Amino acid sequence: MSRLSIELPGLSLKNPIMPASGCFGFGKEYAEFYDLDRLGAIMIKATTSEARFGNPTPRVAETTAGMLNAIGLQNPGLSGVLEQELPRLGQFDVPIIANVAGAKMEDYIEVAKKLSRSPYVAALELNISCPNVKQGGIAFGTIPEVAAELTAAVKQVSTKPVYVKLSPNVSDIVAMAKAVEAAGADGLSMINTLLGMRIDLKTRKPILANGAGGLSGPAIKPVAIRMIHQVSQVVSIPIIGMGGVQTVEDVIEMMLAGASAVAIGTANFVDPYICPRLIEELPAKLDELGINDVRELIGGSWREPCSVR
Amino acid sequence: MSRLSIELPGLSLKNPIMPASGCFGFGKEYAEFYDLDRLGAIMIKATTSEARFGNPTPRVAETTAGMLNAIGLQNPGLSGVLEQELPRLGQFDVPIIANVAGAKMEDYIEVAKKLSRSPYVAALELNISCPNVKQGGIAFGTIPEVAAELTAAVKQVSTKPVYVKLSPNVSDIVAMAKAVEAAGADGLSMINTLLGMRIDLKTRKPILANGAGGLSGPAIKPVAIRMIHQVSQVVSIPIIGMGGVQTVEDVIEMMLAGASAVAIGTANFVDPYICPRLIEELPAKLDELGINDVRELIGGSWREPCSVR
Amino acid sequence: MQKQAIFKITSQQLVADRIYELTCEGEQVLQMTNPGQFVHIKVGNFDDILLRRPLSIGDVNLNSKTFKMIYRVEGQGTTRLSKKVAGEEIDVLGPLGVGFPVEEARQGETALLVGGGIGVPPLYYLSKQLVERGVNVIHVLGFQSKKDVFYEEEFSKLGPTYVTTVDGTYGTKGFVTNAIESYKLECDLLYSCGPSPMLRVLNEKYKGQRAYLSLEERMGCGIGACFACVCHTSDDPEGTSYRKVCTDGPVFKVGEVVI
Amino acid sequence: MQKQAIFKITSQQLVADRIYELTCEGEQVLQMTNPGQFVHIKVGNFDDILLRRPLSIGDVNLNSKTFKMIYRVEGQGTTRLSKKVAGEEIDVLGPLGVGFPVEEARQGETALLVGGGIGVPPLYYLSKQLVERGVNVIHVLGFQSKKDVFYEEEFSKLGPTYVTTVDGTYGTKGFVTNAIESYKLECDLLYSCGPSPMLRVLNEKYKGQRAYLSLEERMGCGIGACFACVCHTSDDPEGTSYRKVCTDGPVFKVGEVVI
Ligand SMILES: Cc1cc2nc3c(=O)[nH]c(=O)nc-3n(C[C@H](O)[C@H](O)[C@H](O)COP(=O)(O)OP(=O)(O)OC[C@H]3O[C@@H](n4cnc5c(N)ncnc54)[C@H](O)[C@@H]3O)c2cc1C
Ligand SMILES: Cc1cc2nc3c(=O)[nH]c(=O)nc-3n(C[C@H](O)[C@H](O)[C@H](O)COP(=O)(O)OP(=O)(O)OC[C@H]3O[C@@H](n4cnc5c(N)ncnc54)[C@H](O)[C@@H]3O)c2cc1C
Ligand SMILES: Cc1cc2nc3c(=O)[nH]c(=O)nc-3n(C[C@H](O)[C@H](O)[C@H](O)COP(=O)(O)O)c2cc1C
Ligand SMILES: Cc1cc2nc3c(=O)[nH]c(=O)nc-3n(C[C@H](O)[C@H](O)[C@H](O)COP(=O)(O)O)c2cc1C
Ligand code: FES
Ligand code: FES
């Protein structure tokens, strides 16, 4: 194993860096910029049972050191993803994590069941936290019992490990994490976006047609670090961390907080080469910090030093 | 009444701009920079029944477009505030909003009772949301029933209007707001800081001695706007808005979201003259937007136009 | 294909009220052959303004490897961009999208180029290419007011140019459509770029003809990955079929998408 | 009293590994008469780096209305500051705090000035003032390694100067205290600025003497309003009595506060 590689349920990562769901489409566009084989994994855009157009535009707005989005889970639906997107991505030698979304429990179950059976899918990411779908979504992401029920139901039908993606818009992230762990989650991915809004001074209306949207980017990194730090100490399943990561320092900070791997969202829009660039920069930064193996970092802010897990 | 003035329970504001609690001490330091009479009001630092030293240092850390703090409610205690700070501030012609904090319900009641009886205090701000006190604080700010109980108890002893300061670290800000309104709150102030963390790559420890701290500054503005937008539509008490305000555009955006006045926190540290500067810039900006009276802005993003409340 | 590069700013100048012309130099310019394409610009090196900003390619000089953007100072991003000076570097992603189909216009045909406000810039490079092909060009450029008018002289050198202003302080009073009507401007093809209300009118008026409209939409990635910039197709206006303005557009055939 | 102003940068240069000397000009300099005070700097006009950064006043020239800061590139803030060039403007809040009590040293007395790393700069302005008063100065300057050493020559012109490096690549190997002991340096007064571990040792060693220590603490406001920078007082180490480093300090008498 190389000093950058990480083993997680269902995932053999060449390195701990991967694009976050919704910020990388189904990989096609970024494949024109670099070889996707270089990535640790790819988290593809949320898939729902039926194709969705999503929300009206404008769907994005600028905020200081961040952005708001209300895409509304636009995607080609289960069949489009299974038949077109996954086979296309399957040509790359990189684990694919399929993001599962829905409005009702049955939707999630159907999508999870079928996606998990795709030979191209290495693991599922259960998106119980998308702030941009009106029905269902929010409740799944904020009530521990509901999240647990959904997790258990999905685990029952999935043939692949299930990572549950947590919403930061909760009073008690630890309760959420423990609930889905107890329900059988193989891992966590956190955080999704914070709910935010911008208002246009001239029209006096929210800039996003949807009103509110999800806040991402460097602005939210401290919230992500805090939540990963809290949760990683009380669960024994691994965490894929995300939220505002832009530099190798951010990657290391998030792993020290407790993440076993790190996903990059918004920063892809700023620099399309961000993922391979950070992967390239990581070894030198580890050297600088006197670290042999990236696994030494995981939870380094609260674990006793030197115990690689 | 001038085009900038605002009438709120217990507060006749010359203009809608005031420094936020904890970011202006007890006014003394900023009085060396400008005449405090120019301010709409002053929200003074949290007062607890006994003097507090607060948390160990470091107490602040940098984040992208924001900062973390874990001051830990350091203050000279009720008697210090009543006997020294308030009489000193009382020489200015500006309403004083006293921020009330505590660990137990009884603390809050005692502090609220005595502060409200100070002739220098125009209104109370009930800080149920400080993320930096370990016992009590958090629960008060995240459980609607507990917040309501506290609000009702404080209302019973206070001779001045009570503004309840809400925490953004909750799943359902609307439920919190409705609960404290029903319990008799005269107004709301929102938002307090988001809980965040930074980790030092070299020491591997959180930068703040306290571990986590409160995230403030422009990074959190979209979260504040969203919450004020949501809450202002379902409560009938006024909101003093805050969170990342740095420019007159931000002031106007927050009022359009639903705030009746706006408090400025972190930006005081960046520019000690920020409050009088924004007050000065406001009329020209209103002209530019074709607005006669600042009250026309309140809730402008969701109210029918032209109905000044 | 390498699409992102650091360009060098060779000049920046004010050409009308709040309208700047920015010229940059870089190898990537050699790929900028299709007018109507755009670039996605990082306006500064600082994280407070995070996302890139889309700006049309206004003119290209393949010899000097320079291209021009003409933009209006709107908000924070363009304000910061306007502070850059010659010699500074700028991070450019592009050329992006599908521009105007120049090849649709045959020698001797007449093309009407209709631009509104900051939709005017891409028409300049388009017009130059059309003229080169022997196409007759007529320009109708709409602005708010006299102070906003730019590039009239440049366009006039390529073909007849009608300017309209909403407040009548310059040229024909009213909208571009007023000029088209009063001067009874006829054409074989229409190319247009401008605000949605204008495009909506043209989309109706030139339905079924050889007309091409360039749309604007707030963008995230600019390369087709984020789904920020989609619009419905006209044949399925409520359904799930869509086009992305950043990669399928910004130029669409009249009637193709819901504007 | 106006305490915040825009200064003009007159020079910026690298004086050791990652150590820069920045000279700025402004009216406010006339108030910078007490060595050991600091300024709170806005390192850029951009919101991503929000808070100001505290830097000591390293030297002052009242005639040219310029002052110098000497700083080490640590993180984002100082990195950005190091990119500024002569001619640019910089937003300076200050002078702030209470500096070294120069008046405590009488003519003919000997003052030992002990600096560690980026604690060295304020001692330079202090030393100049002491020398002007006829005080004998001895400097002990501690650094990590040879490449980090700066201002040795400048200090040497004012009085005997001992340099220590932790790795022994230059001067005496070890800490400043090693030099004080090996050279048996005696003094009437001690002035020191440097990292907390160093100050802690000196706080013990010079207990009860005329010794003044300058502390560092992460700051928010820099003017006493935010309570970020407090420390306990030695007579009430667990209690509620406190000092603010930004306004009561950064210089404290030995034994006054818990370090
Ligand atoms: C394909 C395309 C080509 C464009 N070409 C030009 C051009 O040649 N000249 C020119 O002046 N402008 C052009 N625009 C509009 C330009 O992108 C915006 O005016 C600019 O991004 C505003 O940024 P700001 O930060 O100054 O304003 P802000 O109001 O702060 O903008 C914030 C955000 O809004 C988006 N935005 C704002 N207005 C628009 C708009 N009209 N269209 C799309 N996004 C917008 C920006 O991308 C940015 O993300 C073009 C837009 C698109 C989509
Ligand atoms: C009164 C005083 C005087 C100082 N004088 C000098 C000087 O003359 N030369 C010099 O090189 N440095 C000096 N420092 C330290 C200097 O403030 C920090 O090195 C600098 O702020 C680091 O900022 P950064 O953004 O580059 O680093 P980061 O690590 O990104 O710093 C982020 C934050 O940490 C704070 N910080 C980091 N290190 C320190 C520190 N050691 N002390 C206090 N705050 C810190 C900064 O204020 C900032 O808020 C002084 C500090 C204080 C309190
Ligand atoms: C435009 C956009 C679309 C997103 N779509 C999804 C999605 O479909 N499913 C999901 O789980 N998260 C989605 N996210 C959330 C990201 O995966 C990520 O959790 C979040 O943006 C925080 O990371 P960042 O700050 O690096 O962007 C989306 C984020 C953005 C900005
Ligand atoms: C250093 C600091 C101390 C604070 N102390 C208090 C406090 O004592 N009581 C309180 O209710 N809020 C306190 N706050 C929160 C602010 O009043 C405000 O709600 C928050 O910072 C968001 O506004 P801003 O982004 O403008 O700073 C503090 C904030 C900061 C940065
Ligand atoms: S801007 Fe991202 S898909 Fe078009
Ligand atoms: S830095 Fe704010 S009180 Fe000292």
Side-chain angles (χ1 to χ4, degrees):
Chain A
M1 265 178 90
S2 97
R3 67 190 294 208
L4 293 190
S5 61
I6 301 269
E7 288 294 325
L8 297 180
L11 303 168
S12 284
L13 309 178
K14 294 191 248 332
N15 62 67
I17 293 177
M18 63 188 83
S21 177
C23 302
F24 207 72
F26 295 95
K28 194 165 59 201
E29 294 78 16
Y30 288 94
E32 290 188 26
F33 287 86
Y34 58 87
D35 182 355
L36 304 187
D37 285 2
R38 296 166 69 185
L39 299 169
I42 295 177
M43 300 177 124
I44 59 175
K45 180 138 191 63
T47 302
T48 52
S49 56
E50 304 299 326
R52 284 178 66 109
F53 179 80
N55 291 321
T57 58
R59 292 178 174 188
V60 295
E62 279 283 325
T63 73
T64 309
M67 67 175 282
L68 291 170
N69 89 80
I71 306 296
L73 296 183
Q74 178 160 21
N75 80 93
L78 194 45
S79 62
V81 172
L82 283 172
E83 288 152 31
Q84 274 135 48
E85 305 298 349
L86 284 172
R88 178 158 43 206
L89 257 181
Q91 57 178 293
F92 294 99
D93 175 30
V94 54
I96 295 168
I97 303 172
N99 189 279
V100 176
K104 303 190 299 296
M105 177 108 47
E106 301 80 67
D107 299 347
Y108 277 103
I109 293 174
E110 184 200 352
V111 177
K113 184 171 178 174
K114 296 199 177 139
L115 279 181
S116 74
R117 280 160 180 79
S118 163
Y120 306 113
V121 167
L124 299 183
E125 185 183 34
L126 199 60
N127 178 3
I128 58 167
S129 52
C130 181
N132 297 325
V133 240
K134 286 281 164 62
Q135 334 120 286
I138 290 297
F140 287 125
T142 55
I143 304 170
E145 295 73 28
V146 181
E149 194 186 334
L150 179 65
T151 304
V154 163
K155 269 300 286 180
Q156 211 159 24
V157 298
S158 173
T159 61
K160 303 276 166 66
V162 175
Y163 291 75
V164 179
K165 183 156 182 178
L166 301 184
S167 164
N169 303 294
V170 296
S171 310
D172 187 352
I173 192 77
V174 164
M176 290 298 303
K178 282 185 171 167
V180 301
E181 179 182 39
D186 299 285
L188 299 172
S189 95
M190 55 194 289
I191 59 173
N192 210 317
T193 52
L194 282 164
L195 259 178
M197 181 182 281
R198 283 288 317 276
I199 293 167
D200 185 307
L201 300 197
K202 285 183 199 140
T203 64
R204 295 181 154 215
K205 296 276 159 260
I207 293 179
L208 299 180
N210 192 49
L215 179 65
S216 61
I220 70 167
K221 199 190 74 177
V223 175
I225 297 286
R226 185 264 297 183
M227 289 187 162
I228 293 166
H229 179 87
Q230 277 185 299
V231 168
S232 62
Q233 294 180 64
V234 296
V235 298
S236 51
I237 51 178
I239 297 173
I240 302 176
M242 64 203 70
V245 172
Q246 293 215 111
T247 64
V248 278
E249 285 83 3
D250 295 340
V251 170
I252 291 172
E253 186 177 355
M254 202 164 263
M255 294 188 73
L256 287 174
S260 296
V262 172
I264 291 160
T266 304
N268 289 288
F269 308 153
V270 182
D271 174 5
Y273 297 101
I274 183 102
C275 292
R277 187 162 61 72
L278 297 191
I279 292 165
E280 215 166 273
E281 289 173 11
L282 195 50
K285 194 73 201 178
L286 294 179
D287 290 345
E288 191 187 317
L289 292 168
I291 291 158
N292 275 322
D293 190 308
V294 78
R295 289 171 298 163
E296 289 170 33
L297 294 169
I298 302 168
S301 62
W302 50 265
R303 265 190 313 107
E304 287 309 302
C306 298
S307 57
V308 168
R309 82 169 181 188
Chain B
M1 264 177 92
S2 97
R3 68 191 294 209
L4 293 190
S5 62
I6 301 267
E7 287 293 326
L8 298 180
L11 303 167
S12 283
L13 309 178
K14 293 190 240 349
N15 62 67
I17 294 177
M18 64 188 83
S21 177
C23 303
F24 207 73
F26 295 95
K28 195 167 56 201
E29 294 78 14
Y30 288 93
E32 289 188 27
F33 286 85
Y34 57 87
D35 182 355
L36 303 186
D37 284 1
R38 295 165 69 184
L39 299 169
I42 295 176
M43 300 177 123
I44 58 174
K45 182 139 192 60
T47 302
T48 53
S49 56
E50 303 300 325
R52 284 177 66 110
F53 179 80
N55 291 321
T57 58
R59 292 178 174 188
V60 296
E62 280 283 325
T63 73
T64 309
M67 67 175 281
L68 292 170
N69 90 80
I71 306 295
L73 297 181
Q74 177 159 22
N75 80 93
L78 194 46
S79 61
V81 172
L82 283 172
E83 288 153 31
Q84 273 135 50
E85 305 298 349
L86 284 171
R88 178 158 42 206
L89 259 179
Q91 56 179 296
F92 294 98
D93 175 29
V94 56
I96 294 167
I97 302 172
N99 190 278
V100 176
K104 304 189 298 297
M105 178 108 45
E106 301 79 70
D107 298 347
Y108 278 102
I109 293 174
E110 184 201 351
V111 177
K113 184 170 176 176
K114 295 199 178 141
L115 279 180
S116 74
R117 279 162 180 78
S118 163
Y120 306 113
V121 168
L124 299 183
E125 185 184 34
L126 199 58
N127 179 3
I128 59 167
S129 52
C130 180
N132 297 325
V133 239
K134 286 281 164 63
Q135 333 120 289
I138 288 297
F140 287 124
T142 55
I143 305 170
E145 295 72 29
V146 180
E149 195 187 334
L150 179 66
T151 305
V154 163
K155 270 299 288 180
Q156 213 161 21
V157 299
S158 173
T159 60
K160 303 278 166 65
V162 175
Y163 292 74
V164 179
K165 182 156 184 177
L166 301 183
S167 164
N169 303 294
V170 296
S171 310
D172 188 352
I173 191 78
V174 164
M176 288 298 302
K178 283 184 170 166
V180 301
E181 179 183 39
D186 299 285
L188 299 172
S189 93
M190 54 193 288
I191 58 175
N192 211 318
T193 52
L194 283 163
L195 258 178
M197 182 182 281
R198 284 288 317 277
I199 294 167
D200 185 306
L201 301 196
K202 284 183 201 141
T203 65
R204 294 180 154 216
K205 295 279 160 259
I207 293 179
L208 299 180
N210 192 47
L215 179 64
S216 61
I220 70 167
K221 198 190 73 177
V223 176
I225 298 285
R226 185 265 294 183
M227 290 189 163
I228 292 167
H229 179 87
Q230 277 184 298
V231 168
S232 61
Q233 294 179 63
V234 296
V235 298
S236 52
I237 50 178
I239 297 172
I240 301 176
M242 64 203 70
V245 172
Q246 292 216 111
T247 65
V248 279
E249 286 82 3
D250 295 340
V251 170
I252 291 172
E253 186 177 356
M254 201 162 265
M255 294 189 74
L256 287 174
S260 296
V262 172
I264 291 160
T266 305
N268 289 290
F269 307 154
V270 181
D271 174 4
Y273 296 100
I274 183 103
C275 291
R277 187 162 61 71
L278 297 190
I279 292 165
E280 214 166 274
E281 289 173 10
L282 195 50
K285 193 74 201 177
L286 293 179
D287 290 344
E288 191 187 317
L289 293 168
I291 291 158
N292 275 321
D293 191 308
V294 78
R295 288 171 299 163
E296 290 169 33
L297 294 169
I298 302 167
S301 62
W302 51 264
R303 263 190 315 106
E304 288 309 303
C306 298
S307 58
V308 168
R309 83 170 180 187
Chain C
M1 181 180 55
Q2 167 84 22
K3 276 198 167 175
Q4 181 209 4
I6 303 299
F7 279 60
K8 199 164 140 186
I9 295 176
T10 59
S11 89
Q12 161 112 278
Q13 61 187 89
L14 192 70
V15 296
D17 183 43
R18 295 193 300 138
I19 305 280
Y20 288 81
E21 183 198 75
L22 179 66
T23 312
C24 303
E25 185 196 311
E27 284 299 317
Q28 224 78 353
V29 166
L30 298 177
Q31 299 174 23
M32 298 181 179
T33 50
N34 179 202
Q37 284 188 297
F38 67 99
V39 289
H40 216 28
I41 299 281
K42 180 99 180 93
V43 296
N45 304 320
F46 306 115
D47 287 338
D48 50 349
I49 298 189
L50 196 65
L51 291 181
R52 291 170 180 270
R53 298 293 194 267
L55 290 178
S56 300
I57 295 169
D59 194 12
V60 172
N61 186 327
L62 296 173
N63 292 325
S64 62
K65 292 184 187 159
T66 57
F67 80 107
K68 283 190 206 300
M69 296 166 272
I70 298 117
Y71 64 93
R72 185 166 62 212
V73 168
E74 282 289 323
Q76 280 204 301
T78 44
T79 301
R80 192 164 303 170
L81 188 61
S82 70
K83 304 276 195 278
K84 296 228 172 204
V85 296
E88 281 188 70
E89 298 191 322
I90 185 166
D91 180 340
V92 176
L93 178 62
L96 301 174
V98 178
F100 292 107
V102 180
E103 65 291 348
E104 288 293 318
R106 286 179 293 267
Q107 195 175 356
E109 287 191 319
T110 297
L112 186 60
L113 279 59
V114 179
I118 52 169
V120 167
L123 300 183
Y124 184 63
Y125 186 35
L126 171 66
S127 185
K128 281 173 77 174
Q129 286 207 2
L130 290 171
V131 167
E132 214 162 273
R133 291 173 65 88
V135 177
N136 305 313
V137 294
I138 305 173
H139 313 109
V140 183
L141 312 178
F143 299 95
Q144 278 299 317
S145 190
K146 184 176 177 183
K147 66 176 178 18
D148 304 314
V149 179
F150 61 89
Y151 263 50
E152 186 191 6
E153 211 180 303
E154 285 83 347
F155 277 100
S156 298
K157 287 184 187 145
L158 300 169
T161 301
Y162 302 85
V163 171
T164 68
T165 55
V166 176
D167 65 2
T169 44
Y170 191 82
T172 307
K173 184 181 161 93
F175 298 102
V176 288
T177 41
N178 295 115
I180 297 176
E181 275 151 29
S182 12
Y183 297 102
K184 301 203 170 50
L185 302 177
E186 303 281 334
C187 63
D188 300 301
L189 302 93
L190 175 93
Y191 295 103
S192 182
C193 182
S196 302
M198 181 187 105
L199 297 182
R200 231 169 265 137
V201 171
L202 298 174
N203 197 38
E204 217 26 67
K205 190 174 160 78
Y206 291 88
K207 192 156 45 179
Q209 303 186 34
R210 284 194 285 158
Y212 304 91
L213 310 176
S214 181
L215 270 59
E216 276 188 9
E217 194 52 77
R218 283 196 176 234
M219 292 185 177
C221 65
I223 62 166
C226 76
F227 291 84
C229 66
V230 298
C231 50
H232 284 283
T233 56
S234 302
D235 54 15
D236 181 25
E238 310 272 284
T240 60
S241 102
Y242 65 90
R243 295 287 182 278
K244 290 177 188 159
V245 172
C246 68
T247 46
D248 300 319
V251 176
F252 295 97
K253 195 167 181 352
V254 70
E256 181 178 355
V257 296
V258 178
I259 298 175
Chain D
M1 181 179 56
Q2 167 85 22
K3 276 199 168 175
Q4 182 208 4
I6 303 298
F7 278 59
K8 199 164 141 186
I9 295 176
T10 58
S11 90
Q12 160 113 278
Q13 62 187 87
L14 192 69
V15 296
D17 183 42
R18 297 193 299 137
I19 305 279
Y20 288 81
E21 181 198 76
L22 179 67
T23 313
C24 302
E25 185 195 310
E27 284 299 318
Q28 224 77 354
V29 166
L30 298 178
Q31 297 174 25
M32 300 181 178
T33 50
N34 179 203
Q37 285 188 297
F38 66 100
V39 289
H40 215 27
I41 300 281
K42 180 98 181 95
V43 296
N45 302 319
F46 307 116
D47 287 338
D48 51 348
I49 298 189
L50 197 65
L51 290 183
R52 291 170 180 268
R53 299 292 194 267
L55 290 178
S56 300
I57 296 169
D59 194 11
V60 171
N61 185 327
L62 295 173
N63 292 325
S64 62
K65 291 183 189 160
T66 58
F67 81 107
K68 284 189 205 302
M69 295 167 271
I70 298 118
Y71 64 93
R72 184 166 64 211
V73 168
E74 282 290 322
Q76 281 204 300
T78 44
T79 301
R80 190 164 304 167
L81 188 62
S82 71
K83 303 278 194 280
K84 296 231 171 201
V85 296
E88 282 188 71
E89 296 189 324
I90 185 164
D91 181 339
V92 176
L93 178 63
L96 301 174
V98 178
F100 291 107
V102 181
E103 66 291 350
E104 289 292 318
R106 285 179 295 266
Q107 195 175 354
E109 288 191 316
T110 298
L112 185 61
L113 278 59
V114 179
I118 52 170
V120 167
L123 299 183
Y124 183 62
Y125 186 34
L126 171 67
S127 186
K128 280 173 77 173
Q129 287 208 1
L130 289 171
V131 167
E132 214 162 274
R133 290 174 64 88
V135 176
N136 304 313
V137 294
I138 305 173
H139 313 109
V140 182
L141 312 177
F143 300 94
Q144 279 298 316
S145 190
K146 183 176 179 184
K147 67 176 177 16
D148 305 313
V149 178
F150 61 89
Y151 264 50
E152 186 192 6
E153 210 180 302
E154 285 83 348
F155 277 100
S156 298
K157 286 184 189 147
L158 299 169
T161 300
Y162 301 86
V163 171
T164 67
T165 55
V166 176
D167 66 2
T169 45
Y170 192 81
T172 307
K173 184 180 161 95
F175 298 102
V176 287
T177 40
N178 296 116
I180 297 176
E181 276 152 29
S182 15
Y183 296 103
K184 303 205 168 51
L185 302 177
E186 304 281 335
C187 62
D188 300 301
L189 301 92
L190 174 94
Y191 296 102
S192 181
C193 182
S196 302
M198 181 187 106
L199 296 182
R200 232 169 266 137
V201 172
L202 297 174
N203 198 37
E204 215 29 64
K205 191 173 159 77
Y206 291 88
K207 193 155 47 177
Q209 304 186 34
R210 282 193 287 158
Y212 304 91
L213 310 176
S214 181
L215 270 59
E216 276 188 9
E217 194 51 78
R218 285 198 173 232
M219 291 185 178
C221 65
I223 62 166
C226 76
F227 291 84
C229 66
V230 298
C231 51
H232 284 283
T233 55
S234 302
D235 53 15
D236 181 25
E238 310 272 285
T240 60
S241 100
Y242 65 92
R243 295 288 182 278
K244 291 177 187 160
V245 172
C246 69
T247 46
D248 300 318
V251 176
F252 295 97
K253 193 162 181 359
V254 69
E256 182 178 356
V257 297
V258 178
I259 299 177

